[in-house]
């Protein structure tokens, strides 16, 4: 542990908001991944941009690493303070500053949990669409450029960022972007900070674009004889001009664990969960029969379907259990969740390849199929060197295949620790430009060091 003068920090924040306590440091030493925990030296809870600025200035003068912390739900070790230092926890910086229904916008502090935000926005018939599932903060979603099951229709976090307030290394506060619906002015700096995992600046406030809440829903759950039948259906539905709001793939292993964990009796086959939203029930009914036709043409074995919010909740319920059910099914093992994305035309090959690569492992495939995004969730023991080497070998070949298909090593979970070894392969010469940008903004490498770059 570094030695430093805590009283200086306590002159910036009151006592209660500065902690070097063991249990607090342990809580901020790990995310939801298997990556080894590392304790920070100190954890702080600011309330304002000015306080963040003073903290960052203090840290930079003390040459202390600074890592921003949202909810710690990342899956690639993104917020683990691998070089110790100060963790800035945004939990208490969680105000919704202004809702602007007339502009479809909201101003928030970075620590707002997106699910809480959506509860407030629902009063105005609005919502912030990216939905990573876990109880993530807006700052963490911006950090990782998170997306989720509705990205096939609504896009990722980057598509909803209008303006950011950012604290730079050294403590300077800047605002990037504006509130206009379009702009051709200057470099898109808001985009640069989005997905930068807190390595370039600390986001303290954001103006987010919003969407109108859909009026009605239709959902279909289809099972298929083989992966190919299910994944080909994804393409066929989109090619037919239908606009799914969400389209998720689950392999038979996932369904088997859901049955065991939740006492369900679902058919243990490759499964597609589909959601459509619209205005009239009649319109949704027509869409439903078109979807059914396409599923049947692709060999569907069974179709369960319904219209209305309750039916949607019933048909989708299982998707929300996936992560926890898999975890509970393998008590004592750790998850490694690979997240690659490929062009839609290569999705079927990507899923089939991944399935083969992990056939001897405790592995589960699911993902945001409409985005060409597949998650390979392996449960194993990182302490068992031989077994873990096998898991890592599978990760490696799955990522390499995604890159061969002109895809990406991560569709949404970010680089963190886990994917940095693929950065050179994925970005080639442009990695040098990324390094130059990092050196320009953070010459002492104090913001979330040890991430991103191999
Ligand atoms: C069950 C489960 C399901 C998930 N499903 C999805 C999914 O469908 N899609 C998806 O995209 N992700 C998913 N995730 C991953 C994770 O929830 C998201 O990446 C989420 O955006 C992380 O938010 P967080 O608040 O927990 O951020 P953290 O994990 O705390 O931080 C994320 C990164 O952002 C940085 N950061 C945090 N706050 C700031 C800030 N204010 N300024 C600058 N940088 C900051 C951190 O340093 C870190 O690098 C899932 C995770 C779990 C556990």
């Amino acid at each position: 542990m570094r030695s430093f003068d805590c009283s200086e920090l306590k002159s910036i924040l009151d006592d209660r908001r500065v902690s070097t306590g063991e249990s607090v440091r342990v809580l901020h030493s790990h995310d939801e991944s298997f990556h080894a925990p590392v304790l920070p030296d100190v954890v702080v809870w600011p309330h304002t941009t000015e306080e963040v600025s003073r903290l960052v200035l203090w840290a930079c003068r003390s040459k202390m690493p600074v890592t921003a912390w949202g909810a710690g739900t990342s899956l690639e070790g993104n917020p683990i303070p691998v070089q110790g230092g100060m963790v800035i926890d945004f939990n208490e910086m969680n105000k919704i500053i202004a809702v602007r229904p007339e502009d479809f916008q909201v101003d928030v502090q970075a620590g707002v949990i997106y699910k809480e935000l959506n509860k407030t926005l629902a009063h105005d018939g609005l919502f912030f669409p990216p939905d990573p599932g876990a109880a993530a903060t807006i700052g963490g979603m911006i950090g990782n450029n998170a997306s989720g099951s509705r990205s096939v229709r609504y896009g990722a976090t980057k598509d909803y960022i209008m303006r950011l307030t950012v604290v730079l290394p050294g403590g300077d506060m800047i605002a990037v972007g504006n509130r206009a619906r379009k702009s051709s002015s200057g470099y898109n700096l808001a985009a640069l900070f989005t997905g930068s995992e807190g390595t370039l600046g600390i986001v303290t406030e954001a103006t987010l674009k919003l969407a109108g809440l859909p009026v009605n829903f239709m959902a279909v759950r289809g099972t298929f004889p083989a992966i190919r039948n299910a994944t080909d259906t994804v393409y066929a539905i989109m090619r037919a001009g239908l606009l799914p709001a969400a389209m998720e793939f689950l392999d038979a292993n996932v369904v088997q664990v859901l049955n065991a964990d939740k006492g369900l009796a679902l058919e243990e086959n490759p499964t597609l969960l589909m959601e459509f939203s619209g205005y009239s029930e009649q319109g949704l009914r027509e869409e439903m029969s078109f979807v059914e036709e396409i599923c049947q043409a692709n060999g569907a074995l069974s179709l369960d379907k319904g219209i209305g919010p309750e039916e949607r909740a019933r048909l989708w319920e299982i998707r929300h259990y996936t992560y926890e059910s898999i975890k509970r099914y393998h008590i004592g093992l750790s998850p490694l969740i690979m997240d690659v994305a490929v062009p839609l035309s290569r999705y079927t090959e990507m899923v089939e390849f991944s399935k083969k690569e992990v056939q001897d492992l405790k592995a589960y495939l699911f993902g945001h199929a409409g985005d060409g995004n597949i998650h390979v969730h392996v449960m194993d023991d990182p302490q068992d060197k031989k077994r873990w080497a096998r898991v890592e070998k599978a990760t490696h070949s799955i990522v390499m295949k995604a890159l061969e298909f002109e895809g990406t090593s991560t569709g949404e979970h970010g680089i963190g620790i886990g994917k940095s070894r693929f950065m050179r392969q994925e970005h080639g010469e442009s990695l040098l430009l990324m390094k130059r940008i990092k050196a320009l903004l953070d010459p002492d490498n104090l913001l979330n060091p040890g991430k991103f770059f191999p």
Side-chain angles (χ1 to χ4, degrees):
M1 185 166 165
R2 281 176 184 77
S3 66
F4 63 95
D5 185 358
C6 215
S7 67
E8 288 182 26
L9 279 177
K10 289 182 178 171
S11 71
I12 302 174
L13 305 182
D14 52 77
D15 266 20
R16 189 188 65 76
R17 294 191 284 136
V18 178
S19 178
T20 51
E22 176 82 7
S23 59
V24 166
R25 290 164 57 228
V26 168
L27 281 173
H28 294 84
S29 67
H30 62 88
D31 59 3
E32 290 284 329
S33 70
F34 69 91
H35 291 288
V38 181
L39 294 179
D41 295 297
V42 60
V43 181
V44 292
W45 289 266
H47 288 169
T48 64
T49 300
E50 287 68 27
E51 286 181 351
V52 175
S53 160
R54 292 179 66 197
L55 290 167
V56 171
L57 175 63
W58 177 86
C60 289
R61 283 191 178 147
S62 317
K63 297 276 181 254
M64 188 180 259
V66 179
T67 303
W69 188 275
T73 66
S74 288
L75 295 168
E76 291 290 356
N78 323 46
I80 297 178
V82 291
Q83 293 181 16
M86 175 196 286
V87 160
I88 302 185
D89 184 329
F90 278 88
N91 236 294
E92 295 190 17
M93 213 166 147
N94 60 357
K95 285 198 183 66
I96 297 174
I97 301 165
V99 184
R100 308 172 194 278
E102 65 286 0
D103 287 328
F104 290 81
Q105 289 171 14
V106 65
D107 298 339
V108 294
Q109 287 188 316
V112 169
I113 304 280
Y114 84 95
K115 290 182 182 184
E116 297 301 318
L117 174 64
N118 278 339
K119 277 187 207 158
T120 300
L121 294 173
H123 295 295
D124 287 299
L126 296 170
F127 78 123
F128 171 66
D131 56 341
T137 61
I138 296 298
M141 290 177 69
I142 294 170
N144 287 351
N145 184 25
S147 50
S149 52
R150 298 208 172 79
S151 293
V152 58
R153 169 138 181 199
Y154 291 100
T157 301
K158 70 177 169 52
D159 301 308
Y160 292 85
I161 304 300
M162 306 204 75
R163 186 174 61 181
L164 298 176
T165 304
V166 183
V167 172
L168 300 175
D172 287 345
M173 298 172 270
I174 57 164
V176 295
N178 56 59
R179 294 209 304 114
R181 284 181 76 85
K182 59 198 278 192
S183 170
S184 312
S185 176
Y187 297 134
N188 190 345
L189 294 181
L192 178 66
F193 288 106
T194 307
S196 67
E197 299 182 21
T199 60
L200 300 178
I202 310 270
V203 174
T204 57
E205 292 180 13
T207 299
L208 306 172
K209 205 187 278 181
L210 304 173
L213 272 175
V215 175
N216 207 345
F217 300 93
M218 178 268 281
V220 178
R221 185 167 66 214
T223 72
F224 298 83
I227 286 174
R228 178 167 285 269
N229 300 77
T231 50
D232 282 355
T233 303
V234 173
Y235 172 76
I237 284 178
M238 293 174 74
R239 187 79 178 85
L242 291 162
L243 195 56
M247 192 134 61
E248 299 279 302
F249 167 77
L250 309 176
D251 80 349
N253 290 357
V254 174
V255 185
Q256 187 239 318
V257 163
L258 287 165
N259 278 343
D261 186 52
K262 291 285 169 188
L264 304 170
L266 302 166
E267 289 174 64
E268 293 178 2
N269 295 316
T271 297
L272 274 189
L273 299 176
M274 294 163 269
E275 176 188 306
F276 295 78
S277 50
Y279 187 72
S280 76
E281 189 166 329
Q282 191 193 335
L284 288 171
R285 220 167 268 294
E286 279 166 20
E287 249 179 315
M288 189 198 268
S289 61
F290 197 15
V291 171
E292 269 185 276
E293 229 174 83
I294 294 171
C295 289
Q296 268 149 7
N298 282 279
L301 298 171
S302 69
L303 291 171
D304 193 356
K305 56 201 188 225
I307 289 183
E310 292 79 20
E311 279 297 277
R312 180 198 48 166
R314 176 181 71 81
L315 291 159
W316 273 77
E317 203 182 3
I318 54 167
R319 179 63 181 91
H320 308 300
Y321 301 146
T322 309
Y323 179 76
E324 289 301 331
S325 287
I326 295 172
K327 229 166 123 175
R328 264 196 301 272
Y329 200 66
H330 297 287
I331 300 281
L333 298 182
S334 300
L336 185 148
I337 307 184
M338 297 168 228
D339 150 49
V340 297
V342 293
L344 266 192
S345 60
R346 309 311 293 264
Y347 192 61
T348 296
E349 285 168 274
M350 189 68 235
V351 179
E352 286 182 340
F353 177 86
S354 306
K355 183 83 183 166
K356 228 162 135 192
E357 277 305 301
V358 294
Q359 60 191 348
D360 56 325
L361 299 172
K362 296 180 182 71
Y364 303 88
L365 272 66
F366 53 89
H368 313 308
D371 292 330
N373 193 186
I374 185 75
H375 299 326
V376 184
H377 186 146
V378 181
M379 296 300 296
D380 220 309
D381 177 8
Q383 304 313 320
D384 182 333
K385 299 286 174 248
K386 200 164 155 221
R387 288 209 54 82
W388 202 253
R390 170 70 194 95
V391 174
E392 300 233 307
K393 186 167 170 279
T395 319
H396 191 267
S397 53
I398 289 170
V399 172
M400 285 303 157
K401 186 55 83 177
L403 297 182
E404 184 190 317
F405 286 163
E406 300 175 83
T408 175
S409 64
T410 168
E412 53 183 26
H413 296 164
I415 301 299
I417 301 167
K419 290 289 171 61
S420 64
R421 65 193 161 119
F422 302 108
M423 287 292 272
R424 191 164 287 127
Q425 183 83 18
E426 179 163 356
H427 297 286
E429 289 295 300
S430 62
L431 184 62
L432 281 179
L433 182 57
M434 290 191 203
K435 284 184 175 171
R436 277 195 225 143
I437 292 170
K438 170 74 174 167
L440 177 72
L441 289 176
D442 183 19
D444 293 328
N445 190 25
L446 291 173
L447 287 198
N448 204 2
K451 309 291 167 58
F452 249 66
F453 300 106

